[in-house]
Amino acid sequence: MSLGQVALAVDAPRSSLSRLLVQQRPTMSRTLAEKILAVEVVDRSTMSMVGSIGAQRRLQALYALGHWRKTIARAAGLTPQAISELLRGTWARITVECDDAVRRAYALLSMSVDTCERNLVRARREQWAPPLAWDEETIDDPMALPALDAVPPAPAGRDAATRFLLGESVVLDQAARREVIGYLMEWSPKSPEEIGAQLEMSGETVSRQWERLKARARETGERVPTRRMMLVGV
């Protein structure tokens, strides 16, 4: 649920909940606490309209990866014109079906890069954040901000991760960067901060990607990686 939806459910100002979210208030009233605890998670199947900010951010993130508008539209099952309107934020609210369509395209394309230079230039000019900069838990929250240190450079090829780990000076794309993070977190004694410094990103972003890699492995039934070097005390 977005912060606005929670605020409506508990009949409280969004600003009050925002301060609670960022831990600017050490205490709160028992009444408000009980209202928040009593909120039931919204079932999307019962909704007809949702806020458009999540869809807009997901499409902007795909542009930041150089995906073509027609490719995104095809993956979503929407028209190219609809993609343009969503990117511009023409509608404050969209149908659940439209939001689900954008989510499908995002799931299919957010792990890869493409070669649309026009969209890359537009994304850089507009400072649109790529997928790595967003948490899936907060991308739909209008109050959330992207971690802009996670902006990926242009891709360097399929063997970029291996070459980087062998000490070559290469530019990593999003997928190669995830591969490097996974390898170093599992097989090296380096801290997330040390790995982040090596990859020119924050330690927090490295830790977030590591947790996503483990979660994805659990979801697909693959072996869940662990911090082997730390376990043996190296």
Side-chain angles (χ1 to χ4, degrees), residues 6-206:
V6 178
L8 285 173
V10 301
D11 191 24
R14 185 202 299 252
S15 58
S16 297
L17 299 184
S18 179
R19 287 194 293 273
L20 284 172
L21 193 63
V22 297
Q23 298 180 333
Q24 291 181 355
R25 291 177 57 186
T27 61
M28 62 187 300
S29 71
R30 180 181 298 274
T31 300
L32 180 56
E34 290 175 346
K35 286 183 177 180
I36 293 174
L37 291 171
V39 172
E40 295 184 4
V41 177
V42 174
D43 182 357
R44 285 174 61 87
S45 66
T46 66
M47 302 171 64
S48 60
M49 303 289 287
V50 294
S52 64
I53 186 68
Q56 182 184 31
R57 287 171 173 172
R58 287 181 176 88
L59 293 175
Q60 290 173 350
L62 294 181
Y63 266 50
L65 296 180
H67 286 292
W68 298 78
R69 185 179 66 160
K70 288 184 178 180
T71 301
I72 299 171
R74 190 180 307 115
L78 299 172
T79 66
Q81 182 61 29
I83 298 299
S84 296
E85 298 294 341
L86 287 166
L87 274 167
R88 285 196 289 266
T90 302
W91 308 296
R93 294 179 66 78
I94 57 177
T95 64
V96 170
E97 290 77 12
C98 180
D99 188 61
D100 285 342
V102 174
R103 288 170 182 263
R104 286 195 300 270
Y106 187 77
L108 287 170
L109 302 174
S110 63
M111 301 295 181
S112 62
V113 295
D114 212 333
T115 57
C116 183
E117 184 64 28
R118 181 175 61 183
N119 289 351
L120 285 168
V121 170
R122 181 181 179 186
R124 284 195 293 267
R125 183 179 68 245
E126 302 289 342
Q127 296 184 324
W128 288 344
L132 272 177
W134 289 110
D135 274 332
E136 192 60 27
E137 295 81 7
T138 60
I139 191 172
D140 297 290
D141 187 344
M143 302 295 291
L145 296 174
L148 293 179
D149 65 324
V151 177
R158 289 186 301 175
D159 297 326
T162 301
R163 290 161 54 199
F164 181 88
L165 291 168
L166 290 174
E168 290 188 39
S169 178
V170 296
V171 178
L172 301 175
D173 67 5
Q174 185 183 18
R177 187 169 295 212
R178 277 195 301 269
E179 185 178 346
V180 169
I181 289 173
Y183 181 88
L184 292 178
M185 286 292 286
E186 181 169 9
W187 296 103
S188 84
K190 294 182 178 180
S191 68
E193 289 71 25
E194 291 172 321
I195 296 172
Q198 188 174 350
L199 292 169
E200 298 183 346
M201 58 178 20
S202 69
E204 181 182 355
T205 300
V206 171

